[in-house]
Amino acid sequence: MNLLRPTTLSIVASFVLLAVPITARAQVTTGELNAHFADTPSRADTASLQKKATEAQARIHANKDDRDELMRAVKTNEVPLAKQVLLRNGFTAEDLENAKITLRTGGGKGGEDEIEISATCCDPKEITIQRSLEYFTK
């Protein structure tokens, strides 16, 4: 009878030692999957917001009045005016809600007057409007 007890204990101990690493591995894998899925919506949101920024930029370049108004907004650092132009050109109020809007001037391109709009999403949403011109006239 004494021979069965050590054998039984060693079998149980071996089973426990094998079960612990499997459980630990499952927990690590589960954590990694959750982190991946939690990150996916922000990537999709960022892509969607950047797509809107690119489309708005194209519309603004095609519309002289909106282009001039956005350039004035950047030059005078008027975020509310810039928001109005963005709203007319594809952004929604929800897109701009709680978004940090940065207006920048500088970085001349040999006299070309350019507006570039870029966007990143989530915690916080950021929309950057960059005006590039060597000599500001508007």
Side-chain angles (χ1 to χ4, degrees):
M1 279 283 207
N2 285 342
L3 290 176
L4 288 177
R5 284 189 183 170
T7 305
T8 304
L9 286 175
S10 68
I11 291 173
V12 170
S14 297
F15 178 73
V16 169
L17 290 175
L18 288 174
V20 170
I22 292 170
T23 305
R25 239 182 276 133
Q27 289 174 347
V28 169
T29 302
T30 303
E32 288 173 1
L33 288 175
N34 286 342
H36 172 71
F37 287 125
D39 190 38
T40 301
S42 68
R43 286 182 186 171
D45 291 344
T46 297
S48 173
L49 198 61
Q50 182 56 50
K51 181 179 178 189
K52 284 184 181 185
T54 302
E55 290 170 355
Q57 180 178 321
R59 286 187 193 110
I60 291 166
H61 278 279
N63 183 325
K64 183 180 179 343
D65 292 337
D66 281 345
R67 187 171 169 259
D68 289 347
E69 192 170 11
L70 189 57
M71 286 192 195
R72 258 191 319 281
V74 172
K75 181 179 180 181
T76 59
N77 202 27
E78 292 182 55
V79 172
L81 182 58
K83 279 185 178 183
Q84 289 175 8
V85 175
L86 292 176
L87 286 169
R88 286 195 304 265
N89 288 282
F91 280 90
T92 64
E94 185 180 326
D95 294 331
L96 301 179
E97 184 178 358
N98 298 323
K100 177 185 175 191
I101 297 179
T102 304
L103 306 176
R104 293 188 178 151
T105 58
K109 291 186 174 183
E112 292 180 28
D113 205 350
E114 294 290 327
I115 291 283
E116 294 179 26
I117 303 172
S118 61
T120 58
C121 184
C122 305
D123 300 324
K125 267 190 271 190
E126 292 186 46
I127 298 171
T128 302
I129 302 171
Q130 171 83 33
R131 178 181 176 186
S132 302
L133 177 65
E134 197 166 332
Y135 302 105
F136 297 112
T137 58
K138 295 182 183 178

Short mmCIF file of all heavy atoms in Angstrom, two decimals, residues 65-123:
data_model
loop_
_atom_site.label_atom_id
_atom_site.label_comp_id
_atom_site.label_asym_id
_atom_site.label_seq_id
_atom_site.Cartn_x
_atom_site.Cartn_y
_atom_site.Cartn_z
N ASP A 65 -13.39 79.88 -53.12
CA ASP A 65 -13.89 80.59 -51.93
C ASP A 65 -13.54 79.83 -50.65
O ASP A 65 -13.06 80.43 -49.68
CB ASP A 65 -15.41 80.81 -52.03
CG ASP A 65 -15.78 81.79 -53.14
OD1 ASP A 65 -14.92 82.61 -53.53
OD2 ASP A 65 -16.94 81.73 -53.60
N ASP A 66 -13.78 78.52 -50.63
CA ASP A 66 -13.45 77.73 -49.45
C ASP A 66 -11.94 77.70 -49.22
O ASP A 66 -11.47 77.76 -48.08
CB ASP A 66 -13.99 76.31 -49.57
CG ASP A 66 -15.47 76.21 -49.25
OD1 ASP A 66 -16.02 77.18 -48.66
OD2 ASP A 66 -16.08 75.18 -49.58
N ARG A 67 -11.20 77.63 -50.30
CA ARG A 67 -9.73 77.60 -50.20
C ARG A 67 -9.21 78.89 -49.58
O ARG A 67 -8.40 78.87 -48.66
CB ARG A 67 -9.15 77.38 -51.59
CG ARG A 67 -7.67 77.17 -51.63
CD ARG A 67 -7.28 76.74 -53.06
NE ARG A 67 -5.87 76.77 -53.21
CZ ARG A 67 -5.19 77.75 -53.80
NH1 ARG A 67 -5.81 78.77 -54.32
NH2 ARG A 67 -3.88 77.68 -53.89
N ASP A 68 -9.70 80.02 -50.08
CA ASP A 68 -9.28 81.32 -49.54
C ASP A 68 -9.70 81.48 -48.08
O ASP A 68 -8.94 81.99 -47.26
CB ASP A 68 -9.86 82.46 -50.38
CG ASP A 68 -9.23 82.56 -51.76
OD1 ASP A 68 -8.18 81.91 -51.99
OD2 ASP A 68 -9.78 83.27 -52.61
N GLU A 69 -10.91 81.02 -47.77
CA GLU A 69 -11.40 81.13 -46.40
C GLU A 69 -10.58 80.27 -45.44
O GLU A 69 -10.24 80.70 -44.34
CB GLU A 69 -12.88 80.73 -46.33
CG GLU A 69 -13.53 81.09 -45.02
CD GLU A 69 -15.04 80.92 -45.06
OE1 GLU A 69 -15.58 80.33 -46.02
OE2 GLU A 69 -15.67 81.37 -44.10
N LEU A 70 -10.22 79.07 -45.87
CA LEU A 70 -9.41 78.21 -45.01
C LEU A 70 -8.00 78.78 -44.85
O LEU A 70 -7.42 78.72 -43.76
CB LEU A 70 -9.36 76.78 -45.57
CG LEU A 70 -8.72 75.74 -44.66
CD1 LEU A 70 -9.43 75.67 -43.31
CD2 LEU A 70 -8.72 74.38 -45.32
N MET A 71 -7.46 79.35 -45.89
CA MET A 71 -6.14 79.97 -45.78
C MET A 71 -6.17 81.14 -44.79
O MET A 71 -5.24 81.30 -44.00
CB MET A 71 -5.66 80.44 -47.15
CG MET A 71 -5.22 79.30 -48.01
SD MET A 71 -4.37 79.92 -49.44
CE MET A 71 -4.38 78.47 -50.43
N ARG A 72 -7.23 81.94 -44.85
CA ARG A 72 -7.37 83.03 -43.89
C ARG A 72 -7.48 82.49 -42.47
O ARG A 72 -6.89 83.03 -41.54
CB ARG A 72 -8.62 83.87 -44.21
CG ARG A 72 -8.33 85.16 -44.91
CD ARG A 72 -9.52 86.09 -44.99
NE ARG A 72 -10.82 85.48 -45.28
CZ ARG A 72 -11.24 85.11 -46.47
NH1 ARG A 72 -10.47 85.30 -47.53
NH2 ARG A 72 -12.42 84.57 -46.65
N ALA A 73 -8.26 81.42 -42.31
CA ALA A 73 -8.43 80.82 -40.98
C ALA A 73 -7.10 80.35 -40.41
O ALA A 73 -6.80 80.56 -39.24
CB ALA A 73 -9.43 79.66 -41.04
N VAL A 74 -6.28 79.73 -41.25
CA VAL A 74 -4.98 79.25 -40.81
C VAL A 74 -4.07 80.43 -40.47
O VAL A 74 -3.41 80.45 -39.43
CB VAL A 74 -4.32 78.32 -41.86
CG1 VAL A 74 -2.90 77.98 -41.47
CG2 VAL A 74 -5.15 77.05 -42.04
N LYS A 75 -4.07 81.44 -41.35
CA LYS A 75 -3.20 82.59 -41.14
C LYS A 75 -3.53 83.33 -39.85
O LYS A 75 -2.64 83.75 -39.12
CB LYS A 75 -3.31 83.55 -42.33
CG LYS A 75 -2.42 84.77 -42.21
CD LYS A 75 -2.55 85.68 -43.41
CE LYS A 75 -1.65 86.89 -43.24
NZ LYS A 75 -1.77 87.80 -44.38
N THR A 76 -4.83 83.45 -39.56
CA THR A 76 -5.26 84.19 -38.36
C THR A 76 -5.52 83.28 -37.17
O THR A 76 -5.96 83.74 -36.13
CB THR A 76 -6.52 85.03 -38.67
OG1 THR A 76 -7.57 84.15 -39.10
CG2 THR A 76 -6.23 86.07 -39.73
N ASN A 77 -5.28 81.99 -37.36
CA ASN A 77 -5.47 80.98 -36.31
C ASN A 77 -6.90 80.96 -35.77
O ASN A 77 -7.13 80.92 -34.57
CB ASN A 77 -4.45 81.18 -35.18
CG ASN A 77 -4.25 79.92 -34.38
OD1 ASN A 77 -4.43 78.82 -34.89
ND2 ASN A 77 -3.91 80.07 -33.12
N GLU A 78 -7.87 80.97 -36.68
CA GLU A 78 -9.28 80.95 -36.31
C GLU A 78 -9.84 79.53 -36.50
O GLU A 78 -10.31 79.18 -37.57
CB GLU A 78 -10.07 81.93 -37.16
CG GLU A 78 -9.75 83.38 -36.88
CD GLU A 78 -10.61 84.31 -37.71
OE1 GLU A 78 -11.85 84.19 -37.64
OE2 GLU A 78 -10.04 85.13 -38.44
N VAL A 79 -9.82 78.76 -35.44
CA VAL A 79 -10.30 77.38 -35.49
C VAL A 79 -11.79 77.31 -35.84
O VAL A 79 -12.19 76.47 -36.65
CB VAL A 79 -9.98 76.64 -34.17
CG1 VAL A 79 -10.64 75.26 -34.13
CG2 VAL A 79 -8.47 76.50 -34.00
N PRO A 80 -12.66 78.17 -35.27
CA PRO A 80 -14.09 78.09 -35.64
C PRO A 80 -14.33 78.29 -37.14
O PRO A 80 -15.16 77.60 -37.73
CB PRO A 80 -14.74 79.21 -34.83
CG PRO A 80 -13.84 79.41 -33.65
CD PRO A 80 -12.46 79.15 -34.19
N LEU A 81 -13.59 79.19 -37.76
CA LEU A 81 -13.73 79.40 -39.20
C LEU A 81 -13.26 78.17 -39.97
O LEU A 81 -13.90 77.75 -40.94
CB LEU A 81 -12.94 80.64 -39.62
CG LEU A 81 -13.01 81.05 -41.09
CD1 LEU A 81 -14.45 81.30 -41.52
CD2 LEU A 81 -12.16 82.30 -41.32
N ALA A 82 -12.16 77.59 -39.55
CA ALA A 82 -11.66 76.37 -40.19
C ALA A 82 -12.68 75.23 -40.05
O ALA A 82 -12.91 74.48 -41.00
CB ALA A 82 -10.32 75.95 -39.57
N LYS A 83 -13.33 75.12 -38.89
CA LYS A 83 -14.35 74.09 -38.69
C LYS A 83 -15.50 74.26 -39.66
O LYS A 83 -16.01 73.28 -40.22
CB LYS A 83 -14.89 74.14 -37.26
CG LYS A 83 -14.03 73.47 -36.24
CD LYS A 83 -14.72 73.48 -34.89
CE LYS A 83 -13.89 72.78 -33.85
NZ LYS A 83 -14.58 72.73 -32.55
N GLN A 84 -15.92 75.52 -39.89
CA GLN A 84 -17.01 75.76 -40.84
C GLN A 84 -16.65 75.27 -42.23
O GLN A 84 -17.46 74.64 -42.91
CB GLN A 84 -17.34 77.26 -40.89
CG GLN A 84 -18.01 77.79 -39.65
CD GLN A 84 -18.20 79.30 -39.73
OE1 GLN A 84 -17.96 79.93 -40.76
NE2 GLN A 84 -18.63 79.89 -38.62
N VAL A 85 -15.44 75.54 -42.65
CA VAL A 85 -14.99 75.11 -43.98
C VAL A 85 -14.95 73.57 -44.03
O VAL A 85 -15.38 72.96 -45.01
CB VAL A 85 -13.62 75.71 -44.34
CG1 VAL A 85 -13.10 75.16 -45.67
CG2 VAL A 85 -13.70 77.23 -44.40
N LEU A 86 -14.44 72.94 -42.98
CA LEU A 86 -14.39 71.47 -42.94
C LEU A 86 -15.80 70.87 -42.99
O LEU A 86 -16.03 69.88 -43.68
CB LEU A 86 -13.64 71.00 -41.69
CG LEU A 86 -12.15 71.32 -41.64
CD1 LEU A 86 -11.57 70.89 -40.30
CD2 LEU A 86 -11.40 70.67 -42.80
N LEU A 87 -16.74 71.48 -42.27
CA LEU A 87 -18.12 70.98 -42.27
C LEU A 87 -18.75 71.07 -43.67
O LEU A 87 -19.52 70.19 -44.05
CB LEU A 87 -18.97 71.75 -41.25
CG LEU A 87 -18.72 71.40 -39.79
CD1 LEU A 87 -19.42 72.40 -38.88
CD2 LEU A 87 -19.20 69.98 -39.49
N ARG A 88 -18.42 72.10 -44.40
CA ARG A 88 -18.98 72.25 -45.75
C ARG A 88 -18.33 71.29 -46.75
O ARG A 88 -18.83 71.12 -47.86
CB ARG A 88 -18.77 73.69 -46.26
CG ARG A 88 -19.67 74.70 -45.64
CD ARG A 88 -19.68 76.01 -46.43
NE ARG A 88 -18.37 76.60 -46.62
CZ ARG A 88 -17.85 77.54 -45.84
NH1 ARG A 88 -18.51 77.99 -44.79
NH2 ARG A 88 -16.65 78.03 -46.12
N ASN A 89 -17.22 70.69 -46.38
CA ASN A 89 -16.46 69.88 -47.33
C ASN A 89 -16.27 68.43 -46.91
O ASN A 89 -15.25 67.81 -47.21
CB ASN A 89 -15.10 70.55 -47.58
CG ASN A 89 -15.26 71.79 -48.41
OD1 ASN A 89 -15.42 71.70 -49.62
ND2 ASN A 89 -15.25 72.95 -47.78
N GLY A 90 -17.24 67.86 -46.22
CA GLY A 90 -17.24 66.42 -45.99
C GLY A 90 -17.12 65.95 -44.55
O GLY A 90 -17.40 64.80 -44.26
N PHE A 91 -16.66 66.80 -43.66
CA PHE A 91 -16.60 66.40 -42.26
C PHE A 91 -17.97 66.57 -41.63
O PHE A 91 -18.75 67.44 -42.04
CB PHE A 91 -15.58 67.25 -41.48
CG PHE A 91 -14.15 66.81 -41.67
CD1 PHE A 91 -13.38 67.32 -42.70
CD2 PHE A 91 -13.58 65.87 -40.81
CE1 PHE A 91 -12.07 66.93 -42.88
CE2 PHE A 91 -12.28 65.46 -40.98
CZ PHE A 91 -11.52 65.99 -42.02
N THR A 92 -18.28 65.75 -40.64
CA THR A 92 -19.54 65.88 -39.91
C THR A 92 -19.26 66.53 -38.56
O THR A 92 -18.11 66.57 -38.10
CB THR A 92 -20.19 64.51 -39.67
OG1 THR A 92 -19.34 63.74 -38.81
CG2 THR A 92 -20.42 63.76 -40.98
N ALA A 93 -20.32 67.00 -37.92
CA ALA A 93 -20.17 67.59 -36.59
C ALA A 93 -19.60 66.55 -35.63
O ALA A 93 -18.79 66.86 -34.75
CB ALA A 93 -21.52 68.11 -36.09
N GLU A 94 -19.99 65.29 -35.81
CA GLU A 94 -19.47 64.20 -34.96
C GLU A 94 -17.96 64.02 -35.16
O GLU A 94 -17.23 63.77 -34.21
CB GLU A 94 -20.20 62.90 -35.29
CG GLU A 94 -19.83 61.75 -34.39
CD GLU A 94 -20.58 60.48 -34.73
OE1 GLU A 94 -21.74 60.56 -35.14
OE2 GLU A 94 -19.97 59.41 -34.60
N ASP A 95 -17.50 64.16 -36.41
CA ASP A 95 -16.06 64.05 -36.69
C ASP A 95 -15.28 65.12 -35.94
O ASP A 95 -14.18 64.87 -35.46
CB ASP A 95 -15.77 64.22 -38.18
CG ASP A 95 -16.33 63.11 -39.04
OD1 ASP A 95 -16.45 61.97 -38.53
OD2 ASP A 95 -16.65 63.37 -40.21
N LEU A 96 -15.84 66.32 -35.88
CA LEU A 96 -15.13 67.45 -35.29
C LEU A 96 -15.34 67.58 -33.78
O LEU A 96 -14.60 68.31 -33.12
CB LEU A 96 -15.55 68.75 -35.98
CG LEU A 96 -15.30 68.79 -37.49
CD1 LEU A 96 -15.77 70.11 -38.07
CD2 LEU A 96 -13.84 68.55 -37.82
N GLU A 97 -16.34 66.86 -33.26
CA GLU A 97 -16.63 66.92 -31.82
C GLU A 97 -15.44 66.38 -31.03
O GLU A 97 -14.93 65.30 -31.30
CB GLU A 97 -17.87 66.09 -31.50
CG GLU A 97 -18.30 66.17 -30.07
CD GLU A 97 -19.56 65.36 -29.82
OE1 GLU A 97 -20.12 64.77 -30.76
OE2 GLU A 97 -19.99 65.32 -28.66
N ASN A 98 -14.98 67.17 -30.08
CA ASN A 98 -13.84 66.83 -29.21
C ASN A 98 -12.55 66.59 -29.98
O ASN A 98 -11.64 65.94 -29.46
CB ASN A 98 -14.16 65.61 -28.34
CG ASN A 98 -15.32 65.85 -27.43
OD1 ASN A 98 -15.49 66.95 -26.90
ND2 ASN A 98 -16.15 64.84 -27.23
N ALA A 99 -12.47 67.08 -31.20
CA ALA A 99 -11.23 66.92 -31.98
C ALA A 99 -10.32 68.10 -31.70
O ALA A 99 -10.75 69.24 -31.60
CB ALA A 99 -11.54 66.84 -33.47
N LYS A 100 -9.04 67.80 -31.60
CA LYS A 100 -8.03 68.86 -31.47
C LYS A 100 -7.69 69.29 -32.89
O LYS A 100 -7.19 68.50 -33.70
CB LYS A 100 -6.80 68.33 -30.76
CG LYS A 100 -5.69 69.35 -30.66
CD LYS A 100 -4.44 68.74 -30.05
CE LYS A 100 -3.32 69.77 -30.08
NZ LYS A 100 -2.04 69.18 -29.75
N ILE A 101 -7.96 70.56 -33.20
CA ILE A 101 -7.68 71.07 -34.54
C ILE A 101 -6.48 71.99 -34.45
O ILE A 101 -6.48 72.95 -33.70
CB ILE A 101 -8.90 71.79 -35.12
CG1 ILE A 101 -10.05 70.80 -35.27
CG2 ILE A 101 -8.55 72.44 -36.46
CD1 ILE A 101 -11.32 71.37 -35.81
N THR A 102 -5.46 71.66 -35.22
CA THR A 102 -4.21 72.43 -35.22
C THR A 102 -4.07 73.11 -36.57
O THR A 102 -4.17 72.46 -37.62
CB THR A 102 -3.01 71.49 -34.98
OG1 THR A 102 -3.22 70.77 -33.77
CG2 THR A 102 -1.72 72.27 -34.88
N LEU A 103 -3.84 74.41 -36.54
CA LEU A 103 -3.64 75.19 -37.76
C LEU A 103 -2.18 75.61 -37.81
O LEU A 103 -1.68 76.25 -36.89
CB LEU A 103 -4.56 76.42 -37.75
CG LEU A 103 -6.05 76.14 -37.53
CD1 LEU A 103 -6.84 77.43 -37.45
CD2 LEU A 103 -6.60 75.25 -38.62
N ARG A 104 -1.49 75.26 -38.90
CA ARG A 104 -0.06 75.55 -39.01
C ARG A 104 0.24 76.31 -40.29
O ARG A 104 -0.35 76.04 -41.33
CB ARG A 104 0.75 74.25 -39.03
CG ARG A 104 0.69 73.49 -37.75
CD ARG A 104 1.66 72.34 -37.80
NE ARG A 104 1.63 71.63 -36.54
CZ ARG A 104 1.90 70.36 -36.41
NH1 ARG A 104 2.22 69.64 -37.47
NH2 ARG A 104 1.86 69.78 -35.23
N THR A 105 1.21 77.20 -40.19
CA THR A 105 1.71 77.88 -41.38
C THR A 105 3.19 77.61 -41.49
O THR A 105 3.85 77.30 -40.50
CB THR A 105 1.48 79.41 -41.29
OG1 THR A 105 2.14 79.89 -40.12
CG2 THR A 105 0.01 79.75 -41.24
N GLY A 106 3.71 77.73 -42.70
CA GLY A 106 5.15 77.58 -42.86
C GLY A 106 5.51 76.53 -43.87
O GLY A 106 4.67 75.85 -44.43
N GLY A 107 6.82 76.42 -44.09
CA GLY A 107 7.33 75.41 -45.01
C GLY A 107 7.06 75.75 -46.45
O GLY A 107 6.27 75.09 -47.11
N GLY A 108 7.68 76.81 -46.95
CA GLY A 108 7.45 77.26 -48.31
C GLY A 108 7.76 76.22 -49.36
O GLY A 108 8.65 75.40 -49.20
N LYS A 109 7.01 76.27 -50.46
CA LYS A 109 7.23 75.35 -51.57
C LYS A 109 7.47 76.17 -52.85
O LYS A 109 6.79 75.99 -53.84
CB LYS A 109 6.02 74.44 -51.76
CG LYS A 109 5.83 73.44 -50.66
CD LYS A 109 4.71 72.50 -51.02
CE LYS A 109 4.60 71.40 -50.00
NZ LYS A 109 3.57 70.44 -50.36
N GLY A 110 8.36 77.10 -52.79
CA GLY A 110 8.71 77.86 -53.98
C GLY A 110 7.58 78.73 -54.51
O GLY A 110 7.41 78.84 -55.71
N GLY A 111 6.79 79.31 -53.62
CA GLY A 111 5.75 80.22 -54.05
C GLY A 111 4.39 79.56 -54.23
O GLY A 111 3.41 80.23 -54.47
N GLU A 112 4.31 78.24 -54.17
CA GLU A 112 3.03 77.57 -54.28
C GLU A 112 2.26 77.73 -52.98
O GLU A 112 2.82 77.62 -51.90
CB GLU A 112 3.22 76.07 -54.55
CG GLU A 112 3.80 75.77 -55.90
CD GLU A 112 3.97 74.28 -56.12
OE1 GLU A 112 3.21 73.50 -55.52
OE2 GLU A 112 4.86 73.92 -56.87
N ASP A 113 0.97 77.99 -53.10
CA ASP A 113 0.11 78.15 -51.94
C ASP A 113 -0.68 76.85 -51.78
O ASP A 113 -1.55 76.54 -52.59
CB ASP A 113 -0.84 79.33 -52.17
CG ASP A 113 -1.31 79.94 -50.87
OD1 ASP A 113 -1.06 79.35 -49.81
OD2 ASP A 113 -1.93 81.00 -50.92
N GLU A 114 -0.36 76.07 -50.78
CA GLU A 114 -0.94 74.75 -50.62
C GLU A 114 -1.60 74.60 -49.25
O GLU A 114 -1.13 75.17 -48.27
CB GLU A 114 0.14 73.66 -50.75
CG GLU A 114 0.75 73.56 -52.12
CD GLU A 114 -0.20 73.00 -53.15
OE1 GLU A 114 -1.04 72.15 -52.81
OE2 GLU A 114 -0.10 73.42 -54.31
N ILE A 115 -2.65 73.80 -49.21
CA ILE A 115 -3.30 73.41 -47.96
C ILE A 115 -3.23 71.89 -47.89
O ILE A 115 -3.57 71.20 -48.84
CB ILE A 115 -4.78 73.85 -47.92
CG1 ILE A 115 -4.89 75.37 -47.82
CG2 ILE A 115 -5.53 73.17 -46.79
CD1 ILE A 115 -4.61 75.93 -46.46
N GLU A 116 -2.76 71.37 -46.77
CA GLU A 116 -2.73 69.93 -46.54
C GLU A 116 -3.51 69.64 -45.27
O GLU A 116 -3.30 70.29 -44.25
CB GLU A 116 -1.30 69.43 -46.41
CG GLU A 116 -0.49 69.57 -47.68
CD GLU A 116 0.94 69.09 -47.50
OE1 GLU A 116 1.19 68.24 -46.62
OE2 GLU A 116 1.80 69.58 -48.25
N ILE A 117 -4.40 68.66 -45.34
CA ILE A 117 -5.20 68.29 -44.19
C ILE A 117 -4.88 66.84 -43.84
O ILE A 117 -4.92 65.96 -44.70
CB ILE A 117 -6.71 68.44 -44.49
CG1 ILE A 117 -7.02 69.87 -44.91
CG2 ILE A 117 -7.54 68.04 -43.26
CD1 ILE A 117 -8.44 70.08 -45.41
N SER A 118 -4.55 66.61 -42.57
CA SER A 118 -4.30 65.25 -42.12
C SER A 118 -5.10 65.02 -40.84
O SER A 118 -5.44 65.96 -40.13
CB SER A 118 -2.81 65.01 -41.88
OG SER A 118 -2.34 65.88 -40.88
N ALA A 119 -5.38 63.76 -40.57
CA ALA A 119 -6.20 63.43 -39.40
C ALA A 119 -5.73 62.12 -38.78
O ALA A 119 -5.34 61.19 -39.49
CB ALA A 119 -7.67 63.32 -39.80
N THR A 120 -5.78 62.08 -37.46
CA THR A 120 -5.54 60.84 -36.71
C THR A 120 -6.69 60.69 -35.74
O THR A 120 -7.32 61.66 -35.35
CB THR A 120 -4.21 60.87 -35.95
OG1 THR A 120 -4.22 61.98 -35.05
CG2 THR A 120 -3.04 60.97 -36.89
N CYS A 121 -6.92 59.47 -35.36
CA CYS A 121 -8.09 59.23 -34.54
C CYS A 121 -7.77 58.60 -33.20
O CYS A 121 -6.86 57.80 -33.10
CB CYS A 121 -9.07 58.32 -35.28
SG CYS A 121 -10.59 58.10 -34.36
N CYS A 122 -8.54 59.02 -32.35
CA CYS A 122 -8.88 58.42 -31.08
C CYS A 122 -7.86 58.65 -29.98
O CYS A 122 -6.71 58.24 -30.09
CB CYS A 122 -9.21 56.96 -31.26
SG CYS A 122 -10.51 56.77 -32.50
N ASP A 123 -8.37 59.28 -28.98
CA ASP A 123 -7.66 59.59 -27.74
C ASP A 123 -6.40 60.38 -27.95
O ASP A 123 -5.32 59.88 -27.70
CB ASP A 123 -7.38 58.32 -26.95
CG ASP A 123 -8.67 57.60 -26.59
OD1 ASP A 123 -9.67 58.29 -26.31
OD2 ASP A 123 -8.68 56.37 -26.59
#
